Amino acid sequence: EVLACMPPHNSETYTVLTESHHVHTTLSQPLLLADGTMKLVSDLTIGDQLARAGAVTGIIHSGKRKVYDLAVSGTNRYLANGFIAQGGDGTWAS
């Protein structure tokens, strides 16, 4: 269940690539690793194993795009094109 959604805004984005998936996101987005920990996109390295998505094969600057963040119920994690992302804390909703 979506509890809050950040108003869309333009931000620098990056494409995280694995052998079978890709996602456009920001450097501050936490993604779930295969070991169950979260790691910011800015801290990912080639070979990092992401839960469900596999090993990181590349990270490419994608320019400015419209982005937003979600706060969701439960563990506050959501599936984004094969990647498990951590939702925001909703502070932007106040």
Side-chain angles (χ1 to χ4, degrees):
E1 174 184 9
V2 175
L3 303 174
C5 183
M6 172 189 286
H9 65 282
N10 287 323
S11 186
E12 293 295 329
T13 63
Y14 294 79
T15 303
V16 178
L17 304 165
T18 67
E19 288 182 7
S20 58
H21 295 85
H22 72 278
V23 69
H24 304 289
T25 188
T26 62
L27 290 177
S28 62
Q29 177 63 58
L31 297 176
L32 184 66
L33 297 176
D35 68 5
T37 61
M38 301 300 289
K39 195 171 195 182
L40 296 177
V41 169
S42 62
D43 296 332
L44 288 175
T45 58
I46 303 302
D48 279 347
Q49 292 290 325
L50 296 170
R52 295 182 53 113
V56 174
T57 59
I59 302 170
I60 303 166
H61 181 254
S62 302
K64 283 199 171 191
R65 292 177 180 239
K66 191 169 285 193
V67 299
Y68 56 92
D69 198 2
L70 301 173
V72 297
S73 61
T75 61
N76 198 26
R77 294 178 180 166
Y78 56 90
L79 190 61
N81 204 30
F83 294 78
I84 299 175
Q86 180 70 41
D89 61 9
T91 55
W92 29 258
S94 12

XYZ file of all heavy atoms in Angstrom:
698
model
N 0.839 -1.172 0.000
C 0.000 0.000 0.000
C 0.894 1.249 0.000
O 1.796 1.370 0.821
C -0.880 -0.021 1.249
C -1.680 1.235 1.418
C -2.475 1.234 2.726
O -2.276 0.348 3.563
O -3.276 2.132 2.882
N 0.649 2.173 -0.922
C 1.397 3.427 -0.983
C 0.844 4.368 0.088
O -0.343 4.668 0.104
C 1.303 4.075 -2.380
C 1.990 5.432 -2.395
C 1.909 3.157 -3.433
N 1.721 4.809 0.983
C 1.327 5.709 2.058
C 1.550 7.171 1.688
O 0.811 8.037 2.132
C 2.110 5.383 3.334
C 1.973 3.944 3.835
C 2.904 3.722 5.015
C 0.530 3.635 4.190
N 2.583 7.437 0.887
C 2.899 8.810 0.467
C 3.741 8.738 -0.797
O 4.462 7.775 -1.024
C 3.658 9.545 1.565
N 3.642 9.789 -1.605
C 4.433 9.882 -2.830
C 5.033 11.279 -2.904
O 4.320 12.274 -2.768
C 3.557 9.608 -4.053
S 4.475 9.620 -5.598
N 6.340 11.339 -3.102
C 7.027 12.615 -3.243
C 6.550 13.291 -4.528
O 6.404 12.616 -5.550
C 8.533 12.377 -3.331
C 9.347 13.616 -3.666
S 11.080 13.212 -4.017
C 11.666 12.860 -2.387
N 6.295 14.592 -4.493
C 5.959 15.276 -5.744
C 7.101 15.102 -6.760
O 8.265 15.234 -6.401
C 5.815 16.739 -5.327
C 5.543 16.696 -3.856
C 6.277 15.494 -3.343
N 6.780 14.762 -7.996
C 7.826 14.584 -9.006
C 8.662 15.850 -9.174
O 8.145 16.965 -9.096
C 7.038 14.285 -10.281
C 5.719 13.784 -9.813
C 5.442 14.512 -8.536
N 9.958 15.646 -9.376
C 10.872 16.763 -9.631
C 12.031 16.255 -10.479
O 12.252 15.044 -10.579
C 11.370 17.373 -8.315
C 12.202 16.428 -7.503
N 11.656 15.415 -6.734
C 13.546 16.319 -7.360
C 12.618 14.744 -6.147
N 13.774 15.262 -6.517
N 12.765 17.148 -11.102
C 13.904 16.761 -11.934
C 15.139 16.582 -11.068
O 15.401 17.381 -10.176
C 14.172 17.806 -13.012
C 13.113 17.762 -14.091
O 12.631 16.694 -14.455
N 12.733 18.912 -14.599
N 15.890 15.508 -11.353
C 17.107 15.205 -10.604
C 18.063 14.443 -11.514
O 17.643 13.798 -12.482
C 16.760 14.353 -9.376
O 17.895 14.159 -8.568
N 19.353 14.501 -11.195
C 20.334 13.702 -11.932
C 20.034 12.232 -11.678
O 19.771 11.830 -10.541
C 21.761 14.020 -11.480
C 22.218 15.416 -11.838
C 22.324 15.656 -13.340
O 22.631 14.699 -14.105
O 22.101 16.802 -13.759
N 20.060 11.425 -12.734
C 19.761 10.000 -12.601
C 20.889 9.150 -13.174
O 21.727 9.632 -13.948
C 18.444 9.626 -13.310
O 18.576 9.880 -14.709
C 17.264 10.391 -12.727
N 20.855 7.890 -12.775
C 21.843 6.907 -13.198
C 21.103 5.627 -13.542
O 20.090 5.311 -12.929
C 22.871 6.657 -12.091
C 23.694 7.890 -11.837
C 23.186 8.940 -11.083
C 24.946 8.030 -12.407
C 23.909 10.098 -10.894
C 25.682 9.192 -12.213
C 25.164 10.222 -11.460
O 25.878 11.367 -11.287
N 21.601 4.888 -14.520
C 21.030 3.602 -14.872
C 21.911 2.522 -14.268
O 23.112 2.465 -14.553
C 20.944 3.422 -16.397
O 20.181 4.496 -16.936
C 20.288 2.099 -16.754
N 21.321 1.707 -13.394
C 22.025 0.562 -12.813
C 21.704 -0.634 -13.708
O 20.538 -0.944 -13.960
C 21.573 0.306 -11.362
C 22.287 -0.920 -10.786
C 21.819 1.532 -10.492
N 22.750 -1.295 -14.190
C 22.610 -2.427 -15.113
C 23.036 -3.726 -14.451
O 24.028 -3.763 -13.713
C 23.490 -2.214 -16.341
C 23.270 -0.937 -17.134
C 24.439 -0.697 -18.074
C 21.978 -1.023 -17.889
N 22.277 -4.788 -14.724
C 22.699 -6.150 -14.424
C 22.550 -6.921 -15.731
O 22.128 -6.348 -16.738
C 21.840 -6.788 -13.306
O 20.512 -6.978 -13.777
C 21.846 -5.937 -12.034
N 22.869 -8.216 -15.731
C 22.762 -8.988 -16.966
C 21.342 -9.033 -17.506
O 21.124 -9.111 -18.706
C 23.278 -10.405 -16.762
C 24.772 -10.457 -16.635
C 25.307 -11.873 -16.490
O 24.541 -12.843 -16.609
O 26.520 -11.993 -16.260
N 20.336 -8.957 -16.623
C 18.956 -9.110 -17.087
C 18.026 -7.950 -16.748
O 16.863 -7.979 -17.136
C 18.367 -10.406 -16.506
O 18.422 -10.366 -15.095
N 18.487 -6.949 -16.021
C 17.620 -5.850 -15.592
C 18.348 -4.511 -15.694
O 19.571 -4.458 -15.756
C 17.200 -6.037 -14.124
C 16.349 -7.226 -13.880
N 16.875 -8.484 -13.665
C 15.009 -7.362 -13.809
C 15.892 -9.339 -13.469
N 14.751 -8.689 -13.562
N 17.574 -3.453 -15.684
C 18.125 -2.103 -15.538
C 17.072 -1.244 -14.855
O 15.872 -1.524 -14.936
C 18.531 -1.497 -16.886
C 17.367 -1.115 -17.737
N 16.687 -2.029 -18.524
C 16.728 0.069 -17.902
C 15.699 -1.405 -19.144
N 15.689 -0.132 -18.790
N 17.535 -0.229 -14.149
C 16.619 0.703 -13.503
C 17.260 2.086 -13.518
O 18.468 2.220 -13.386
C 16.258 0.254 -12.061
C 17.443 0.370 -11.112
C 15.056 1.010 -11.521
N 16.433 3.104 -13.758
C 16.880 4.497 -13.696
C 16.569 4.996 -12.296
O 15.422 4.880 -11.831
C 16.141 5.357 -14.721
C 16.271 4.853 -16.118
N 17.459 4.926 -16.825
C 15.383 4.266 -16.936
C 17.272 4.401 -18.022
N 16.016 3.992 -18.112
N 17.551 5.564 -11.627
C 17.364 5.992 -10.245
C 18.361 7.086 -9.895
O 19.143 7.510 -10.741
C 17.491 4.770 -9.298
O 17.125 5.156 -7.974
C 18.888 4.189 -9.311
N 18.322 7.531 -8.654
C 19.255 8.550 -8.177
C 20.349 7.894 -7.350
O 20.210 6.751 -6.900
C 18.526 9.596 -7.315
O 17.969 8.939 -6.171
C 17.441 10.304 -8.110
N 21.433 8.626 -7.118
C 22.538 8.089 -6.327
C 22.143 7.841 -4.879
O 22.757 7.022 -4.197
C 23.735 9.042 -6.378
C 24.458 9.140 -7.718
C 25.580 10.171 -7.635
C 25.001 7.788 -8.160
N 21.103 8.526 -4.396
C 20.705 8.385 -2.988
C 19.703 7.252 -2.766
O 19.268 7.032 -1.632
C 20.125 9.695 -2.472
O 18.967 10.047 -3.206
N 19.358 6.490 -3.814
C 18.384 5.403 -3.674
C 19.037 4.163 -3.074
O 19.995 3.644 -3.623
C 17.785 5.041 -5.031
C 16.821 3.881 -4.977
C 15.600 4.197 -4.123
O 14.890 5.145 -4.389
N 15.380 3.403 -3.092
N 18.532 3.654 -1.954
C 19.029 2.379 -1.433
C 18.399 1.207 -2.190
O 17.192 1.193 -2.428
C 18.563 2.365 0.029
C 18.063 3.746 0.323
C 17.663 4.329 -0.994
N 19.238 0.239 -2.574
C 18.773 -0.990 -3.220
C 19.163 -2.177 -2.336
O 20.180 -2.139 -1.639
C 19.392 -1.142 -4.604
C 19.044 -0.070 -5.633
C 19.809 -0.315 -6.937
C 17.547 -0.025 -5.893
N 18.357 -3.235 -2.394
C 18.588 -4.417 -1.561
C 19.623 -5.328 -2.200
O 19.491 -5.728 -3.360
C 17.272 -5.172 -1.363
C 17.320 -6.380 -0.429
C 17.620 -5.945 1.007
C 16.007 -7.146 -0.493
N 20.645 -5.654 -1.430
C 21.658 -6.604 -1.865
C 21.182 -8.031 -1.587
O 20.286 -8.251 -0.762
C 22.977 -6.355 -1.130
C 23.650 -5.005 -1.367
C 24.888 -4.872 -0.488
C 23.999 -4.803 -2.821
N 21.809 -8.989 -2.230
C 21.442 -10.395 -2.058
C 21.631 -10.871 -0.618
O 20.948 -11.785 -0.176
C 22.250 -11.262 -3.016
N 22.523 -10.219 0.142
C 22.753 -10.631 1.535
C 21.738 -10.025 2.503
O 21.830 -10.208 3.712
C 24.180 -10.308 1.975
C 24.474 -8.817 2.088
O 23.551 -7.980 1.917
O 25.640 -8.470 2.351
N 20.765 -9.256 1.980
C 19.715 -8.683 2.810
C 19.991 -7.286 3.330
O 19.136 -6.691 3.981
N 21.153 -6.719 3.026
C 21.461 -5.352 3.438
C 21.095 -4.383 2.321
O 20.944 -4.779 1.160
C 22.952 -5.193 3.790
O 23.742 -5.480 2.632
C 23.350 -6.117 4.946
N 20.968 -3.117 2.680
C 20.682 -2.073 1.701
C 21.985 -1.343 1.377
O 22.849 -1.189 2.252
C 19.661 -1.072 2.248
C 18.327 -1.676 2.643
S 17.428 -2.512 1.336
C 16.911 -1.149 0.321
N 22.108 -0.867 0.137
C 23.284 -0.099 -0.271
C 22.841 1.013 -1.195
O 22.049 0.784 -2.116
C 24.285 -1.015 -0.978
C 25.675 -0.439 -1.131
C 26.624 -1.523 -1.637
C 28.058 -1.140 -1.474
N 28.966 -2.183 -2.008
N 23.334 2.233 -0.952
C 23.024 3.357 -1.827
C 23.609 3.113 -3.210
O 24.705 2.540 -3.340
C 23.618 4.657 -1.272
C 23.079 5.152 0.053
C 23.842 6.409 0.478
C 21.591 5.442 -0.029
N 22.927 3.580 -4.231
C 23.438 3.459 -5.595
C 24.824 4.105 -5.690
O 25.714 3.578 -6.354
C 22.449 4.083 -6.605
C 23.066 4.212 -7.982
C 21.172 3.240 -6.660
N 25.051 5.207 -4.983
C 26.353 5.886 -5.015
C 27.483 5.003 -4.485
O 28.649 5.238 -4.806
C 26.307 7.186 -4.212
O 26.020 6.920 -2.849
N 27.154 3.978 -3.687
C 28.169 3.096 -3.103
C 28.287 1.752 -3.817
O 29.137 0.940 -3.460
C 27.858 2.851 -1.626
C 27.943 4.126 -0.798
O 28.712 5.036 -1.173
O 27.233 4.210 0.221
N 27.446 1.489 -4.827
C 27.511 0.227 -5.549
C 28.801 0.119 -6.357
O 29.329 1.117 -6.848
C 26.334 0.092 -6.522
C 24.950 -0.148 -5.934
C 23.904 -0.137 -7.046
C 24.899 -1.456 -5.159
N 29.282 -1.110 -6.491
C 30.440 -1.370 -7.337
C 30.095 -2.520 -8.284
O 29.190 -3.314 -8.018
C 31.688 -1.738 -6.510
O 31.394 -2.879 -5.713
C 32.117 -0.588 -5.614
N 30.826 -2.595 -9.376
C 30.631 -3.680 -10.335
C 30.809 -5.004 -9.595
O 31.760 -5.179 -8.830
C 31.635 -3.564 -11.506
C 31.510 -2.211 -12.212
C 31.466 -4.730 -12.483
C 30.153 -1.906 -12.772
N 29.877 -5.912 -9.805
C 29.933 -7.215 -9.162
C 29.077 -7.336 -7.919
O 28.806 -8.453 -7.478
N 28.657 -6.198 -7.336
C 27.752 -6.286 -6.186
C 26.540 -7.114 -6.582
O 25.980 -6.932 -7.671
C 27.281 -4.899 -5.729
C 28.281 -4.178 -4.850
O 29.235 -4.810 -4.367
O 28.090 -2.963 -4.632
N 26.131 -8.027 -5.717
C 24.989 -8.901 -5.986
C 23.722 -8.274 -5.421
O 23.596 -8.105 -4.205
C 25.213 -10.278 -5.340
C 26.327 -11.076 -5.984
C 25.959 -11.553 -7.375
O 24.814 -11.892 -7.669
N 26.953 -11.594 -8.254
N 22.791 -7.918 -6.294
C 21.517 -7.327 -5.881
C 20.452 -8.415 -5.780
O 20.413 -9.335 -6.602
C 21.077 -6.271 -6.891
C 22.003 -5.062 -6.997
C 21.616 -4.203 -8.185
C 21.956 -4.253 -5.715
N 19.614 -8.312 -4.760
C 18.518 -9.262 -4.594
C 17.632 -9.224 -5.833
O 17.294 -8.156 -6.328
C 17.709 -8.915 -3.345
N 17.283 -10.371 -6.374
C 16.410 -10.560 -7.533
C 17.002 -10.093 -8.857
O 16.631 -10.606 -9.895
C 15.050 -9.881 -7.336
C 14.232 -10.472 -6.213
C 12.893 -9.797 -6.102
N 12.178 -9.780 -7.356
C 11.050 -10.430 -7.615
N 10.506 -11.164 -6.679
N 10.470 -10.346 -8.779
N 17.878 -9.095 -8.855
C 18.356 -8.505 -10.108
C 19.707 -9.048 -10.555
O 20.078 -8.889 -11.709
C 18.425 -6.984 -9.986
N 20.479 -9.659 -9.659
C 21.780 -10.209 -10.029
C 22.925 -9.234 -9.825
O 22.789 -8.208 -9.156
N 24.044 -9.552 -10.437
C 25.270 -8.773 -10.256
C 25.228 -7.473 -11.047
O 24.799 -7.451 -12.205
C 26.482 -9.593 -10.676
N 25.721 -6.396 -10.438
C 25.833 -5.103 -11.119
C 26.906 -5.224 -12.193
O 28.028 -5.645 -11.930
C 26.194 -3.982 -10.113
C 26.461 -2.670 -10.843
C 25.092 -3.814 -9.075
N 26.537 -4.864 -13.438
C 27.487 -4.895 -14.557
C 27.871 -3.500 -15.026
O 28.825 -3.344 -15.774
C 26.912 -5.690 -15.744
O 25.693 -5.087 -16.168
C 26.680 -7.146 -15.360
N 27.122 -2.493 -14.603
C 27.442 -1.129 -14.991
C 26.537 -0.121 -14.312
O 25.430 -0.455 -13.883
N 27.046 1.091 -14.217
C 26.269 2.229 -13.698
C 26.592 3.395 -14.615
O 27.749 3.788 -14.747
C 26.627 2.563 -12.235
C 26.386 1.336 -11.343
C 25.828 3.766 -11.744
C 26.922 1.478 -9.940
N 25.566 3.918 -15.281
C 25.751 4.930 -16.317
C 24.979 6.190 -15.952
O 23.791 6.119 -15.613
C 25.243 4.406 -17.674
C 25.953 3.111 -18.052
C 25.389 5.459 -18.765
C 25.294 2.365 -19.190
N 25.631 7.345 -16.058
C 24.937 8.615 -15.845
C 23.891 8.775 -16.941
O 24.180 8.603 -18.123
C 25.931 9.778 -15.869
C 25.278 11.095 -15.629
N 25.074 11.988 -16.631
C 24.773 11.636 -14.505
C 24.465 13.059 -16.134
N 24.273 12.866 -14.846
N 22.658 9.098 -16.549
C 21.555 9.175 -17.509
C 20.981 10.577 -17.664
O 19.964 10.750 -18.321
C 20.425 8.230 -17.071
O 20.906 6.918 -16.967
N 21.587 11.574 -17.034
C 21.102 12.943 -17.141
C 19.931 13.211 -16.224
O 19.551 12.396 -15.394
N 19.353 14.392 -16.393
C 18.215 14.776 -15.555
C 16.946 14.123 -16.064
O 16.698 14.087 -17.257
C 18.048 16.288 -15.525
C 19.049 16.967 -14.633
C 18.596 18.354 -14.271
C 19.542 18.874 -13.208
N 19.062 20.073 -12.607
N 16.165 13.597 -15.126
C 14.866 12.994 -15.410
C 13.921 13.344 -14.281
O 14.354 13.678 -13.179
C 14.958 11.466 -15.473
C 15.723 10.929 -16.636
C 15.798 9.417 -16.526
N 16.543 8.879 -17.651
C 16.052 8.019 -18.509
N 14.842 7.561 -18.395
N 16.786 7.581 -19.505
N 12.643 13.211 -14.547
C 11.645 13.396 -13.505
C 11.691 12.187 -12.578
O 11.648 11.049 -13.033
C 10.252 13.555 -14.096
C 9.232 14.015 -13.077
C 7.952 14.415 -13.746
C 8.208 15.767 -14.385
N 7.011 16.445 -14.826
N 11.820 12.430 -11.277
C 11.881 11.360 -10.288
C 10.877 11.638 -9.170
O 10.362 12.749 -9.030
C 13.297 11.208 -9.684
C 14.314 10.867 -10.756
C 13.716 12.463 -8.945
N 10.625 10.610 -8.385
C 9.762 10.709 -7.216
C 10.166 9.586 -6.277
O 10.958 8.717 -6.623
C 8.288 10.600 -7.599
C 7.954 9.351 -8.367
C 7.527 8.208 -7.697
C 8.097 9.289 -9.743
C 7.249 7.047 -8.395
C 7.818 8.129 -10.441
C 7.391 7.015 -9.762
O 7.115 5.864 -10.448
N 9.642 9.596 -5.079
C 9.906 8.532 -4.129
C 8.590 8.120 -3.498
O 7.639 8.906 -3.466
C 10.889 9.000 -3.058
C 11.540 7.848 -2.299
O 11.264 6.674 -2.625
O 12.332 8.116 -1.381
N 8.537 6.898 -3.033
C 7.338 6.363 -2.400
C 7.636 5.977 -0.965
O 8.746 5.569 -0.649
C 6.874 5.088 -3.127
C 6.545 5.184 -4.596
C 6.278 3.796 -5.147
C 5.352 6.092 -4.810
N 6.646 6.089 -0.122
C 6.659 5.461 1.200
C 5.552 4.424 1.143
O 4.411 4.751 0.789
C 6.411 6.479 2.304
N 5.887 3.168 1.428
C 4.907 2.093 1.336
C 4.799 1.366 2.672
O 5.699 1.433 3.507
C 5.257 1.098 0.199
C 5.213 1.797 -1.155
C 6.616 0.466 0.403
N 3.696 0.675 2.852
C 3.468 -0.031 4.111
C 4.392 -1.240 4.233
O 5.096 -1.602 3.287
C 2.008 -0.462 4.210
O 1.687 -1.339 3.149
N 4.362 -1.876 5.389
C 5.188 -3.060 5.634
C 6.645 -2.688 5.824
O 6.966 -1.786 6.588
N 7.517 -3.344 5.084
C 8.958 -3.114 5.226
C 9.417 -1.833 4.532
O 10.598 -1.504 4.569
C 9.763 -4.291 4.638
O 9.465 -4.401 3.245
C 9.462 -5.581 5.368
N 8.500 -1.124 3.879
C 8.807 0.089 3.118
C 9.789 -0.200 1.986
O 10.688 0.578 1.713
C 9.304 1.225 4.013
C 9.207 2.574 3.311
O 8.388 2.781 2.427
N 10.051 3.501 3.710
N 9.589 -1.334 1.344
C 10.381 -1.704 0.166
C 9.419 -1.996 -0.978
O 8.304 -2.458 -0.756
C 11.232 -2.941 0.445
C 12.300 -2.671 1.476
C 13.095 -3.896 1.765
N 14.107 -3.592 2.775
C 14.785 -4.506 3.426
N 14.588 -5.791 3.183
N 15.668 -4.142 4.313
N 9.851 -1.707 -2.192
C 9.012 -1.958 -3.360
C 9.870 -2.475 -4.507
O 11.087 -2.278 -4.533
C 8.223 -0.715 -3.769
C 9.071 0.509 -4.031
C 9.567 0.772 -5.300
C 9.367 1.413 -3.009
C 10.340 1.894 -5.550
C 10.136 2.537 -3.252
C 10.618 2.758 -4.523
O 11.390 3.865 -4.768
N 9.232 -3.153 -5.445
C 9.899 -3.708 -6.609
C 9.858 -2.679 -7.732
O 8.794 -2.176 -8.087
C 9.196 -4.992 -7.038
C 9.879 -5.845 -8.081
C 11.240 -6.315 -7.595
C 9.008 -7.033 -8.433
N 11.035 -2.350 -8.262
C 11.154 -1.375 -9.348
C 11.938 -2.014 -10.490
O 13.162 -2.109 -10.430
C 11.855 -0.113 -8.855
N 11.221 -2.514 -11.488
C 11.838 -3.121 -12.677
C 12.838 -4.230 -12.324
O 13.904 -4.317 -12.906
C 12.497 -2.043 -13.542
C 12.629 -2.485 -14.986
O 11.818 -3.257 -15.481
N 13.651 -1.998 -15.668
N 12.487 -5.048 -11.340
C 13.336 -6.170 -10.950
C 14.255 -5.886 -9.782
O 14.886 -6.794 -9.251
N 14.367 -4.641 -9.364
C 15.218 -4.249 -8.242
C 14.333 -4.001 -7.020
O 13.233 -3.466 -7.147
C 15.962 -2.948 -8.555
C 16.954 -3.085 -9.679
C 16.540 -3.102 -11.002
C 18.311 -3.179 -9.417
C 17.444 -3.220 -12.044
C 19.225 -3.295 -10.451
C 18.795 -3.316 -11.765
N 14.820 -4.345 -5.834
C 14.083 -4.047 -4.608
C 14.662 -2.763 -4.025
O 15.844 -2.700 -3.671
C 14.161 -5.206 -3.602
C 13.539 -6.457 -4.234
C 13.447 -4.818 -2.297
C 13.664 -7.708 -3.404
N 13.813 -1.737 -3.966
C 14.222 -0.411 -3.513
C 13.625 -0.112 -2.143
O 12.531 -0.572 -1.815
C 13.758 0.645 -4.519
N 14.345 0.670 -1.352
C 13.852 1.118 -0.059
C 13.035 2.382 -0.275
O 13.484 3.307 -0.943
C 15.028 1.422 0.875
C 14.626 1.901 2.257
C 14.004 0.803 3.087
O 14.454 -0.336 3.076
N 12.942 1.132 3.793
N 11.832 2.426 0.280
C 10.985 3.607 0.176
C 11.509 4.740 1.051
O 12.296 4.539 1.964
N 11.041 5.941 0.743
C 11.417 7.119 1.517
C 10.774 7.126 2.885
O 9.884 6.319 3.179
N 11.224 8.052 3.714
C 10.688 8.119 5.075
C 9.474 9.031 5.160
O 8.893 9.203 6.230
C 11.749 8.548 6.059
C 12.316 9.936 5.776
O 11.767 10.654 4.919
O 13.296 10.305 6.429
N 9.081 9.635 4.050
C 7.882 10.464 4.025
C 8.064 11.876 4.547
O 7.117 12.635 4.589
N 9.290 12.260 4.926
C 9.500 13.612 5.450
C 9.148 14.673 4.414
O 8.755 15.773 4.765
C 10.955 13.825 5.935
O 11.842 13.514 4.861
C 11.252 12.963 7.140
N 9.267 14.328 3.133
C 8.918 15.281 2.072
C 7.411 15.441 1.956
O 6.935 16.308 1.272
C 9.494 14.825 0.725
C 9.641 13.353 0.586
C 10.797 12.637 0.708
C 8.615 12.380 0.336
N 10.550 11.304 0.548
C 9.218 11.101 0.323
C 7.247 12.449 0.133
C 8.507 9.927 0.097
C 6.543 11.277 -0.085
C 7.172 10.041 -0.100
N 6.624 14.602 2.627
C 5.166 14.667 2.547
C 4.587 15.676 3.526
O 3.420 16.018 3.441
C 4.555 13.286 2.800
N 5.390 16.136 4.502
C 4.834 17.060 5.488
C 4.868 18.497 5.020
O 5.436 18.877 4.104
C 5.544 16.979 6.807
O 6.711 16.279 6.826
